[in-house]
Amino acid sequence: MKNPHAPAQPAPRADPLSLVHQDSITERASTPTPAASAQPEQGTPARLAERVCDTRVAERTAHIGSWSIDLPGNQLTHSDEFAAILGVTAGTPITLKDMTAKYTPEWSASINTLIQNCRLTGTPFDEEMQIQTAPKARKWVRTVGEAVYDQNGESGQIIRIQGALQDISAQKKAQDETLRLAMRLTTTLASITEAFVTLDRQCCFTYLNQESERLLQGTTRELLGKEVWQNFDDGVGQRLKQKLEKSLARNRRVEHEDFYPTLGKWLEVRAYPFAEGLAVYFNDVTKRRKSQEQLMLLETSISRLNDIVVIAEALPASGREARIVFVNDAFEHHTGYGRDEVLGQTPSLLLGPTPQTRELRSLAAARRQNEPVRSELMICKKDGTWFWVELEIVSVLAPSGELTHWVAVGRNVTLRKAAEDKIHHLAFRDPLTELPNRQLLLDRLQHVLTLSARFQRQGALMFIDLDHFKILNDTLGHHRGDLLLQKVAARLSDCVRKTDTVARLGGDEFVVMLEDLGDDPDAAKARNVAEKILSYLREPFDLDGHQHYMTCSIGVTSLNGQQSSVSELLKQADLAMYQAKTLGRNTVCFFDPGMQATVSAKAVISSDLRVGLREKQFLVYYQPQVDRQGCVTGVEALLRWQHPVRGVIGPADFIPVAEESGLILPLGQWVLETACEQLVAWAGRPETADLNIAVNVSARQFRHRDFVDMVMATIQRSGIRPHRLKIELTESLLADRMEVTIAKMGTLKALGVTLSLDDFGMGYSSLSVLKRLPLDQLKIDKSFVADLLTDPNDAAISRAIIALAQSLSLEVVAEGVETEAQRDFLAQQGCDQFQGYLFSRPLPIEQVERYILGLR
């Protein structure tokens, strides 16, 4: 089969130039011209006549006539076949004008131009044109012409144009017919709905229709000339190659189905051999293959499905109950019934004697409406045991719409139901202690709160926190900590009634909810239960052979329906518990509104502190420190808060809140920077250049990992002399992490900063600790100074502190000196410096400077 897209090949042409030469010889032999007469005679007359005859026969056979134009006279000589092609009677004279006039109007100008160019420049021409031999008769001709030069060749003069005229109408007609046939064939092939291609003997594409381009995902231009399997994977391509080569070798059709991964399709290939190669049809059978696979899977799944499948024949006309007509293997496996035992029986056989009224009513209603239904039922096995089934039932209707069968698909969900029960347990129970968890407690609290408000019932809520539980975990391990929590849960449950609730919120926090305490507004019953809990938990616990003693702190609030929400109730109990912690632990504390007021006040202060920091509401007051001679040696920087509503607030009213909220860090840094700026200002004045400033640093501020770096950066930025800055530390720093504290103090000491231990004797300091600290100064707390003249103990302590400091080469500063007698006593004992109202109250910077200059 030919490729219908290949262009039609023209018929072989005789060489026009050779015929021109032949015709020139013939014409010159038959019609002498002056130029021809001048040339010597070639051959004998008989020989010449024979050649002329042969030429005429060749011209008639090839439909080629020769012509010649002598220059410069434009005399046209021609052969008889030339005249015959032009439709001129033999022997009729033809001029050049007659010749060009024969060309149709669209070609007339072109032939004149070609002849003129050949005359002037020697340009040869070879064109296919149309001539008109009669009013309605046209021919296609091939016109050829070239210049003939004199004896000097192409460098000489053009003496003649000789050419040939060939009638090619038959070839043109054949070409047109071939093109029409090709177009019809192309249209026919393109109309084939299947993908159709032709291949040559090497299985290379020679034609593709539009559908094959779409299916094979390539255009004709991309695929022509390529082997059909070139773009396929090795495996599928090799199998296709074998099939097609087999068809060519045996000259028989072949059919082949395979999956082509590059196309993502299943293709059916049908190949039909013919002389030039193969005609191949590609058919996309992906849907059919998928349908076959689905049918096979469906058939297999019904018989081997793990889910139970039951088909019952519906008998609506007879009014009888549906009868089982099919069960699968899974049905036999799960129920223990064989097929022979249930076929023909009603499905109620599987329900057993236990009624499941609600589920059965739902199934019956759906059946009446021919609607699908889903339910969960307990199915009775042959041996009498039960299992849970998630059942879905659908109706099967005939084409007429009549109900014919019910199909029930059931899944054994016994494990899932057990898991749901377990999940429900985990969702509302603490996994460690099996007590109700926070969620269940909140649900019960909401219920009890509602009943209390409606029926005026009294109850109580206890918030219990184990004291020092973290120490147990850190020392004995978390496994013993978990064991303790379990034992605590058991003891708490023993302390209350069955109607009460014991819950674990998490960690070491428990909640006890006492319900229906009667009209007990004084909460005596709640207190008795709380004391009982304290007593029970004080008893030793056996933790895998380790005897452990423990206490707890209990906060109690009344549950009387007056609380607006569960969260408020829990908050009240929590506040009372923290109050019990504050009171020393191992005790019970009942909530009162004052607790809430205190917490609210702290919250307001914390919020105002943040605003104060942002709006720069804080001030630094300075209290002078004087030596024995009454000269000012320095000052202590004391923070004040210029509150926009409450006025100036002392540190005792807001520093504890700042400590709790963490705002002490930016506050302390601001005070440090302000003190350094003041030292810079004083350094430029001779009367104040020798003063130092003491800055109090809290334990939390000192323990910040960047504290030392911040002090160094502040000193470097301000440019002060480091020994003029005195940092006062509290004894609470010495409670733990001593090595870190000593290291930081050593770094500051090396920097040149003066270090003072404030409120000495009030906290954790001991001689063994004191000797290791790189201190410069001790400060006697004002509580010892206040009564040292009347209390021998305070006087003895003050003497001991001064003596200790002197033995360690430390300076001593006494705080809170208010009388001359106190100063004299301390000076007599060897105290170096004094600070108190005897000398000056804390003052703003302007007033303290006037005070200092007044003494100097």
Side-chain angles (χ1 to χ4, degrees), residues 195-197 205 208 210-219 222-223 228 231-232 260 262-263 265 267 282:
F196 174 77
V197 302
F205 288 105
L208 299 92
Q210 187 174 357
E211 179 61 18
S212 65
E213 290 181 327
R214 184 194 65 79
L215 188 62
L216 300 179
Q217 301 175 7
T219 63
E222 294 170 346
L223 297 178
V228 66
N231 293 332
F232 299 143
Y260 293 78
T262 55
L263 305 177
K265 300 177 184 296
L267 296 184
F282 290 95

PDB file of all heavy atoms in Angstrom, residues 195-197 205 208 210-219 222-223 228 231-232 260 262-263 265 267 282:
ATOM      1  N   ALA A 195      -7.806   3.867  15.779  1.00  0.00           N
ATOM      2  CA  ALA A 195      -6.460   4.326  15.464  1.00  0.00           C
ATOM      3  C   ALA A 195      -5.883   3.397  14.396  1.00  0.00           C
ATOM      4  O   ALA A 195      -5.776   2.190  14.604  1.00  0.00           O
ATOM      5  CB  ALA A 195      -5.593   4.323  16.710  1.00  0.00           C
ATOM      6  N   PHE A 196      -5.505   3.966  13.248  1.00  0.00           N
ATOM      7  CA  PHE A 196      -5.023   3.176  12.116  1.00  0.00           C
ATOM      8  C   PHE A 196      -3.701   3.740  11.656  1.00  0.00           C
ATOM      9  O   PHE A 196      -3.531   4.954  11.502  1.00  0.00           O
ATOM     10  CB  PHE A 196      -6.040   3.218  10.977  1.00  0.00           C
ATOM     11  CG  PHE A 196      -5.550   2.555   9.715  1.00  0.00           C
ATOM     12  CD1 PHE A 196      -5.530   1.173   9.595  1.00  0.00           C
ATOM     13  CD2 PHE A 196      -5.092   3.313   8.641  1.00  0.00           C
ATOM     14  CE1 PHE A 196      -5.088   0.563   8.430  1.00  0.00           C
ATOM     15  CE2 PHE A 196      -4.636   2.709   7.483  1.00  0.00           C
ATOM     16  CZ  PHE A 196      -4.637   1.326   7.383  1.00  0.00           C
ATOM     17  N   VAL A 197      -2.731   2.826  11.424  1.00  0.00           N
ATOM     18  CA  VAL A 197      -1.432   3.235  10.908  1.00  0.00           C
ATOM     19  C   VAL A 197      -1.003   2.227   9.855  1.00  0.00           C
ATOM     20  O   VAL A 197      -1.508   1.096   9.794  1.00  0.00           O
ATOM     21  CB  VAL A 197      -0.359   3.305  12.016  1.00  0.00           C
ATOM     22  CG1 VAL A 197      -0.776   4.254  13.119  1.00  0.00           C
ATOM     23  CG2 VAL A 197      -0.061   1.926  12.583  1.00  0.00           C
ATOM     24  N   PHE A 205       6.699   3.672  10.767  1.00  0.00           N
ATOM     25  CA  PHE A 205       5.460   4.346  10.393  1.00  0.00           C
ATOM     26  C   PHE A 205       5.570   4.959   8.996  1.00  0.00           C
ATOM     27  O   PHE A 205       6.548   5.646   8.678  1.00  0.00           O
ATOM     28  CB  PHE A 205       5.146   5.474  11.388  1.00  0.00           C
ATOM     29  CG  PHE A 205       4.695   5.001  12.744  1.00  0.00           C
ATOM     30  CD1 PHE A 205       5.550   5.067  13.835  1.00  0.00           C
ATOM     31  CD2 PHE A 205       3.417   4.505  12.925  1.00  0.00           C
ATOM     32  CE1 PHE A 205       5.141   4.650  15.086  1.00  0.00           C
ATOM     33  CE2 PHE A 205       2.993   4.090  14.186  1.00  0.00           C
ATOM     34  CZ  PHE A 205       3.855   4.150  15.259  1.00  0.00           C
ATOM     35  N   LEU A 208      -0.266   7.715   9.652  1.00  0.00           N
ATOM     36  CA  LEU A 208      -1.037   7.688  10.885  1.00  0.00           C
ATOM     37  C   LEU A 208      -2.283   8.540  10.697  1.00  0.00           C
ATOM     38  O   LEU A 208      -2.188   9.657  10.151  1.00  0.00           O
ATOM     39  CB  LEU A 208      -0.253   8.270  12.078  1.00  0.00           C
ATOM     40  CG  LEU A 208       1.047   7.615  12.512  1.00  0.00           C
ATOM     41  CD1 LEU A 208       2.239   8.267  11.799  1.00  0.00           C
ATOM     42  CD2 LEU A 208       1.236   7.755  14.034  1.00  0.00           C
ATOM     43  N   GLN A 210      -5.704  10.534  12.428  1.00  0.00           N
ATOM     44  CA  GLN A 210      -5.807  11.470  13.548  1.00  0.00           C
ATOM     45  C   GLN A 210      -5.995  10.743  14.882  1.00  0.00           C
ATOM     46  O   GLN A 210      -5.422  11.122  15.893  1.00  0.00           O
ATOM     47  CB  GLN A 210      -6.972  12.431  13.297  1.00  0.00           C
ATOM     48  CG  GLN A 210      -7.058  13.556  14.323  1.00  0.00           C
ATOM     49  CD  GLN A 210      -8.134  14.562  13.966  1.00  0.00           C
ATOM     50  OE1 GLN A 210      -8.784  14.452  12.940  1.00  0.00           O
ATOM     51  NE2 GLN A 210      -8.317  15.554  14.813  1.00  0.00           N
ATOM     52  N   GLU A 211      -6.807   9.677  14.885  1.00  0.00           N
ATOM     53  CA  GLU A 211      -7.064   8.947  16.116  1.00  0.00           C
ATOM     54  C   GLU A 211      -5.793   8.266  16.619  1.00  0.00           C
ATOM     55  O   GLU A 211      -5.547   8.194  17.831  1.00  0.00           O
ATOM     56  CB  GLU A 211      -8.164   7.914  15.899  1.00  0.00           C
ATOM     57  CG  GLU A 211      -8.506   7.062  17.111  1.00  0.00           C
ATOM     58  CD  GLU A 211      -9.022   7.851  18.301  1.00  0.00           C
ATOM     59  OE1 GLU A 211      -9.439   9.018  18.103  1.00  0.00           O
ATOM     60  OE2 GLU A 211      -8.992   7.320  19.429  1.00  0.00           O
ATOM     61  N   SER A 212      -4.970   7.771  15.693  1.00  0.00           N
ATOM     62  CA  SER A 212      -3.722   7.124  16.115  1.00  0.00           C
ATOM     63  C   SER A 212      -2.753   8.147  16.714  1.00  0.00           C
ATOM     64  O   SER A 212      -2.021   7.847  17.655  1.00  0.00           O
ATOM     65  CB  SER A 212      -3.062   6.402  14.934  1.00  0.00           C
ATOM     66  OG  SER A 212      -2.648   7.323  13.943  1.00  0.00           O
ATOM     67  N   GLU A 213      -2.745   9.368  16.179  1.00  0.00           N
ATOM     68  CA  GLU A 213      -1.911  10.415  16.763  1.00  0.00           C
ATOM     69  C   GLU A 213      -2.337  10.683  18.211  1.00  0.00           C
ATOM     70  O   GLU A 213      -1.504  10.837  19.113  1.00  0.00           O
ATOM     71  CB  GLU A 213      -2.015  11.706  15.947  1.00  0.00           C
ATOM     72  CG  GLU A 213      -1.358  11.638  14.587  1.00  0.00           C
ATOM     73  CD  GLU A 213      -1.476  12.947  13.828  1.00  0.00           C
ATOM     74  OE1 GLU A 213      -2.495  13.644  14.001  1.00  0.00           O
ATOM     75  OE2 GLU A 213      -0.563  13.277  13.076  1.00  0.00           O
ATOM     76  N   ARG A 214      -3.653  10.742  18.445  1.00  0.00           N
ATOM     77  CA  ARG A 214      -4.144  10.996  19.813  1.00  0.00           C
ATOM     78  C   ARG A 214      -3.802   9.831  20.729  1.00  0.00           C
ATOM     79  O   ARG A 214      -3.326  10.037  21.860  1.00  0.00           O
ATOM     80  CB  ARG A 214      -5.659  11.206  19.771  1.00  0.00           C
ATOM     81  CG  ARG A 214      -6.260  11.570  21.130  1.00  0.00           C
ATOM     82  CD  ARG A 214      -7.761  11.434  21.132  1.00  0.00           C
ATOM     83  NE  ARG A 214      -8.162  10.058  20.952  1.00  0.00           N
ATOM     84  CZ  ARG A 214      -8.152   9.148  21.929  1.00  0.00           C
ATOM     85  NH1 ARG A 214      -7.752   9.457  23.140  1.00  0.00           N
ATOM     86  NH2 ARG A 214      -8.531   7.899  21.697  1.00  0.00           N
ATOM     87  N   LEU A 215      -4.026   8.605  20.247  1.00  0.00           N
ATOM     88  CA  LEU A 215      -3.833   7.442  21.104  1.00  0.00           C
ATOM     89  C   LEU A 215      -2.358   7.205  21.408  1.00  0.00           C
ATOM     90  O   LEU A 215      -1.990   6.884  22.545  1.00  0.00           O
ATOM     91  CB  LEU A 215      -4.440   6.199  20.441  1.00  0.00           C
ATOM     92  CG  LEU A 215      -4.484   4.932  21.285  1.00  0.00           C
ATOM     93  CD1 LEU A 215      -5.357   5.153  22.507  1.00  0.00           C
ATOM     94  CD2 LEU A 215      -5.010   3.761  20.473  1.00  0.00           C
ATOM     95  N   LEU A 216      -1.510   7.374  20.405  1.00  0.00           N
ATOM     96  CA  LEU A 216      -0.074   7.122  20.584  1.00  0.00           C
ATOM     97  C   LEU A 216       0.666   8.346  21.119  1.00  0.00           C
ATOM     98  O   LEU A 216       1.875   8.291  21.343  1.00  0.00           O
ATOM     99  CB  LEU A 216       0.559   6.673  19.261  1.00  0.00           C
ATOM    100  CG  LEU A 216      -0.019   5.383  18.663  1.00  0.00           C
ATOM    101  CD1 LEU A 216       0.662   5.057  17.339  1.00  0.00           C
ATOM    102  CD2 LEU A 216       0.133   4.218  19.626  1.00  0.00           C
ATOM    103  N   GLN A 217      -0.057   9.446  21.273  1.00  0.00           N
ATOM    104  CA  GLN A 217       0.487  10.653  21.887  1.00  0.00           C
ATOM    105  C   GLN A 217       1.701  11.196  21.133  1.00  0.00           C
ATOM    106  O   GLN A 217       2.749  11.493  21.702  1.00  0.00           O
ATOM    107  CB  GLN A 217       0.835  10.402  23.362  1.00  0.00           C
ATOM    108  CG  GLN A 217      -0.347   9.970  24.197  1.00  0.00           C
ATOM    109  CD  GLN A 217       0.027   9.612  25.618  1.00  0.00           C
ATOM    110  OE1 GLN A 217       1.171   9.800  26.034  1.00  0.00           O
ATOM    111  NE2 GLN A 217      -0.927   9.085  26.379  1.00  0.00           N
ATOM    112  N   GLY A 218       1.534  11.299  19.813  1.00  0.00           N
ATOM    113  CA  GLY A 218       2.582  11.851  18.971  1.00  0.00           C
ATOM    114  C   GLY A 218       1.995  12.285  17.642  1.00  0.00           C
ATOM    115  O   GLY A 218       0.989  11.738  17.176  1.00  0.00           O
ATOM    116  N   THR A 219       2.601  13.277  17.019  1.00  0.00           N
ATOM    117  CA  THR A 219       2.107  13.758  15.729  1.00  0.00           C
ATOM    118  C   THR A 219       2.726  12.945  14.599  1.00  0.00           C
ATOM    119  O   THR A 219       3.718  12.223  14.785  1.00  0.00           O
ATOM    120  CB  THR A 219       2.461  15.243  15.542  1.00  0.00           C
ATOM    121  OG1 THR A 219       3.899  15.378  15.513  1.00  0.00           O
ATOM    122  CG2 THR A 219       1.912  16.076  16.699  1.00  0.00           C
ATOM    123  N   GLU A 222       6.312  13.725  14.077  1.00  0.00           N
ATOM    124  CA  GLU A 222       7.212  13.144  15.071  1.00  0.00           C
ATOM    125  C   GLU A 222       7.428  11.654  14.864  1.00  0.00           C
ATOM    126  O   GLU A 222       8.503  11.126  15.180  1.00  0.00           O
ATOM    127  CB  GLU A 222       6.643  13.375  16.472  1.00  0.00           C
ATOM    128  CG  GLU A 222       6.613  14.837  16.875  1.00  0.00           C
ATOM    129  CD  GLU A 222       5.817  15.065  18.154  1.00  0.00           C
ATOM    130  OE1 GLU A 222       5.086  14.132  18.570  1.00  0.00           O
ATOM    131  OE2 GLU A 222       5.915  16.162  18.723  1.00  0.00           O
ATOM    132  N   LEU A 223       6.429  10.940  14.331  1.00  0.00           N
ATOM    133  CA  LEU A 223       6.482   9.482  14.313  1.00  0.00           C
ATOM    134  C   LEU A 223       6.849   8.888  12.959  1.00  0.00           C
ATOM    135  O   LEU A 223       7.319   7.751  12.906  1.00  0.00           O
ATOM    136  CB  LEU A 223       5.134   8.908  14.768  1.00  0.00           C
ATOM    137  CG  LEU A 223       4.729   9.261  16.213  1.00  0.00           C
ATOM    138  CD1 LEU A 223       3.368   8.691  16.529  1.00  0.00           C
ATOM    139  CD2 LEU A 223       5.754   8.743  17.202  1.00  0.00           C
ATOM    140  N   VAL A 228       7.687   1.345  15.250  1.00  0.00           N
ATOM    141  CA  VAL A 228       6.459   1.484  16.015  1.00  0.00           C
ATOM    142  C   VAL A 228       6.698   1.246  17.505  1.00  0.00           C
ATOM    143  O   VAL A 228       6.001   1.802  18.359  1.00  0.00           O
ATOM    144  CB  VAL A 228       5.378   0.525  15.459  1.00  0.00           C
ATOM    145  CG1 VAL A 228       5.768  -0.920  15.685  1.00  0.00           C
ATOM    146  CG2 VAL A 228       4.028   0.821  16.083  1.00  0.00           C
ATOM    147  N   ASN A 231       9.055   4.101  21.159  1.00  0.00           N
ATOM    148  CA  ASN A 231       8.728   4.904  22.341  1.00  0.00           C
ATOM    149  C   ASN A 231       8.144   4.086  23.486  1.00  0.00           C
ATOM    150  O   ASN A 231       7.679   4.656  24.470  1.00  0.00           O
ATOM    151  CB  ASN A 231       7.753   6.021  21.967  1.00  0.00           C
ATOM    152  CG  ASN A 231       8.387   7.048  21.049  1.00  0.00           C
ATOM    153  OD1 ASN A 231       9.597   7.253  21.070  1.00  0.00           O
ATOM    154  ND2 ASN A 231       7.575   7.661  20.209  1.00  0.00           N
ATOM    155  N   PHE A 232       8.149   2.756  23.360  1.00  0.00           N
ATOM    156  CA  PHE A 232       7.584   1.904  24.405  1.00  0.00           C
ATOM    157  C   PHE A 232       8.700   1.311  25.245  1.00  0.00           C
ATOM    158  O   PHE A 232       9.849   1.223  24.822  1.00  0.00           O
ATOM    159  CB  PHE A 232       6.734   0.780  23.802  1.00  0.00           C
ATOM    160  CG  PHE A 232       5.560   1.286  22.997  1.00  0.00           C
ATOM    161  CD1 PHE A 232       5.155   0.648  21.838  1.00  0.00           C
ATOM    162  CD2 PHE A 232       4.865   2.415  23.409  1.00  0.00           C
ATOM    163  CE1 PHE A 232       4.081   1.112  21.097  1.00  0.00           C
ATOM    164  CE2 PHE A 232       3.788   2.881  22.683  1.00  0.00           C
ATOM    165  CZ  PHE A 232       3.399   2.237  21.518  1.00  0.00           C
ATOM    166  N   TYR A 260       0.529  -0.702  28.049  1.00  0.00           N
ATOM    167  CA  TYR A 260       1.602   0.171  27.627  1.00  0.00           C
ATOM    168  C   TYR A 260       1.794   1.259  28.700  1.00  0.00           C
ATOM    169  O   TYR A 260       1.027   2.233  28.751  1.00  0.00           O
ATOM    170  CB  TYR A 260       1.277   0.797  26.268  1.00  0.00           C
ATOM    171  CG  TYR A 260       1.262  -0.224  25.157  1.00  0.00           C
ATOM    172  CD1 TYR A 260       0.177  -1.077  24.977  1.00  0.00           C
ATOM    173  CD2 TYR A 260       2.353  -0.370  24.306  1.00  0.00           C
ATOM    174  CE1 TYR A 260       0.168  -2.035  23.974  1.00  0.00           C
ATOM    175  CE2 TYR A 260       2.358  -1.327  23.292  1.00  0.00           C
ATOM    176  CZ  TYR A 260       1.266  -2.161  23.130  1.00  0.00           C
ATOM    177  OH  TYR A 260       1.275  -3.101  22.143  1.00  0.00           O
ATOM    178  N   THR A 262       3.898   3.670  29.156  1.00  0.00           N
ATOM    179  CA  THR A 262       4.151   5.051  28.744  1.00  0.00           C
ATOM    180  C   THR A 262       2.877   5.763  28.343  1.00  0.00           C
ATOM    181  O   THR A 262       2.782   6.987  28.446  1.00  0.00           O
ATOM    182  CB  THR A 262       5.147   5.078  27.572  1.00  0.00           C
ATOM    183  OG1 THR A 262       4.641   4.241  26.512  1.00  0.00           O
ATOM    184  CG2 THR A 262       6.511   4.584  28.013  1.00  0.00           C
ATOM    185  N   LEU A 263       1.880   4.993  27.868  1.00  0.00           N
ATOM    186  CA  LEU A 263       0.587   5.579  27.505  1.00  0.00           C
ATOM    187  C   LEU A 263      -0.414   5.472  28.643  1.00  0.00           C
ATOM    188  O   LEU A 263      -1.435   6.162  28.648  1.00  0.00           O
ATOM    189  CB  LEU A 263       0.013   4.879  26.258  1.00  0.00           C
ATOM    190  CG  LEU A 263       0.913   4.855  25.017  1.00  0.00           C
ATOM    191  CD1 LEU A 263       0.237   4.060  23.897  1.00  0.00           C
ATOM    192  CD2 LEU A 263       1.211   6.280  24.552  1.00  0.00           C
ATOM    193  N   LYS A 265      -2.266   2.849  29.187  1.00  0.00           N
ATOM    194  CA  LYS A 265      -3.464   2.246  28.595  1.00  0.00           C
ATOM    195  C   LYS A 265      -3.211   0.787  28.244  1.00  0.00           C
ATOM    196  O   LYS A 265      -2.078   0.364  28.008  1.00  0.00           O
ATOM    197  CB  LYS A 265      -3.871   2.991  27.307  1.00  0.00           C
ATOM    198  CG  LYS A 265      -4.189   4.459  27.473  1.00  0.00           C
ATOM    199  CD  LYS A 265      -4.496   5.098  26.127  1.00  0.00           C
ATOM    200  CE  LYS A 265      -4.713   6.601  26.280  1.00  0.00           C
ATOM    201  NZ  LYS A 265      -5.890   6.923  27.094  1.00  0.00           N
ATOM    202  N   LEU A 267      -3.906  -1.672  25.203  1.00  0.00           N
ATOM    203  CA  LEU A 267      -4.184  -1.551  23.773  1.00  0.00           C
ATOM    204  C   LEU A 267      -4.345  -2.932  23.143  1.00  0.00           C
ATOM    205  O   LEU A 267      -3.582  -3.865  23.445  1.00  0.00           O
ATOM    206  CB  LEU A 267      -3.050  -0.799  23.056  1.00  0.00           C
ATOM    207  CG  LEU A 267      -2.805   0.663  23.449  1.00  0.00           C
ATOM    208  CD1 LEU A 267      -1.717   1.254  22.576  1.00  0.00           C
ATOM    209  CD2 LEU A 267      -4.083   1.482  23.341  1.00  0.00           C
ATOM    210  N   PHE A 282      -5.026   0.070  16.231  1.00  0.00           N
ATOM    211  CA  PHE A 282      -4.854   0.134  17.686  1.00  0.00           C
ATOM    212  C   PHE A 282      -6.209   0.464  18.309  1.00  0.00           C
ATOM    213  O   PHE A 282      -6.871   1.421  17.888  1.00  0.00           O
ATOM    214  CB  PHE A 282      -3.843   1.222  18.086  1.00  0.00           C
ATOM    215  CG  PHE A 282      -2.428   0.906  17.710  1.00  0.00           C
ATOM    216  CD1 PHE A 282      -1.880   1.378  16.534  1.00  0.00           C
ATOM    217  CD2 PHE A 282      -1.630   0.146  18.550  1.00  0.00           C
ATOM    218  CE1 PHE A 282      -0.575   1.095  16.185  1.00  0.00           C
ATOM    219  CE2 PHE A 282      -0.321  -0.134  18.220  1.00  0.00           C
ATOM    220  CZ  PHE A 282       0.219   0.331  17.030  1.00  0.00           C
TER     221      PHE A 282
END
